Amino acid sequence: MNKVILMGRLTRDPEVRYSQGDNPTAVARYTLAVDRRFRRNNDGDQSADFIGCVAFGRSAEFAEKYFRQGLKVIVTGRIQTGSYTNRDGQKVYTTDVVVEDQEFAESKSVSDANAGSFRAAAPSPAPAPVSDAGDGFMNIPDGIDEELPFN
């Protein structure tokens, strides 16, 4: 069985490209900083792994629209390895998590408070996907007419 569950923060905004052909498909790539359970040194520094993720289709479009640097997300998927030969003739090995499901791990207000130092100084141009109403339910942002912001 090949199943991965990760929770971490995006190191930067997702990079989205579209495949060529009659039916272009969105492909989003992003990196999650996932804290390790144990500290690396005795000095108390928290260490993290930086894990590459790739999402396709509607998941990629969702990431493009709502995911921003510093946002804490939960990703489930599978590990996929590959290799290619670079321009220098050297073989390069890759390991990515192919995203099957992705969701927010915290409310927008908590995310803004916790990730403020993690994000770049410029504010995010995208509207907030959800906000916490304090009663356990999320508020749907204004302007979403065609579909809800989740799978």
Side-chain angles (χ1 to χ4, degrees):
M1 176 185 286
N2 184 355
K3 185 80 165 178
V4 176
I5 302 171
L6 302 171
M7 181 169 60
R9 294 194 184 275
L10 274 78
T11 60
R12 63 177 182 250
D13 292 353
E15 179 183 315
V16 180
R17 296 184 180 175
Y18 288 84
S19 64
Q20 301 294 320
D22 296 335
N23 257 346
T25 302
V27 179
R29 291 189 170 275
Y30 54 88
T31 302
L32 288 183
V34 179
D35 288 335
R36 291 184 179 170
R37 180 173 273 185
F38 302 103
R39 303 203 185 279
R40 174 178 273 174
N41 303 328
N42 292 333
D43 59 6
D45 286 343
Q46 180 73 39
S47 59
D49 292 305
F50 297 90
I51 301 171
C53 300
V54 60
F56 297 94
R58 292 179 63 91
S59 293
E61 292 168 359
F62 182 87
E64 178 180 35
K65 189 171 184 179
Y66 295 111
F67 284 8
R68 295 291 174 256
Q69 178 179 348
L71 182 69
K72 190 173 193 178
V73 297
I74 298 172
V75 170
T76 58
R78 59 185 170 82
I79 291 179
Q80 180 172 296
T81 60
S83 65
Y84 64 93
T85 304
N86 67 11
R87 293 180 181 167
D88 299 329
Q90 296 175 330
K91 193 158 193 159
V92 177
Y93 295 94
T94 62
T95 302
D96 290 308
V97 172
V98 177
V99 175
E100 294 170 356
D101 188 33
Q102 57 193 5
E103 58 189 73
F104 302 104
E106 60 191 4
S107 68
K108 180 173 178 0
S109 59
V110 172
S111 177
D112 288 345
N114 289 341
S117 62
F118 190 81
R119 291 186 182 169
S124 174
V130 295
S131 63
D132 189 1
D135 58 1
F137 294 94
M138 69 175 143
N139 293 326
I140 305 300
D142 294 335
I144 296 184
D145 296 327
E146 65 277 353
E147 63 182 336
L148 294 176
F150 49 83
N151 294 338

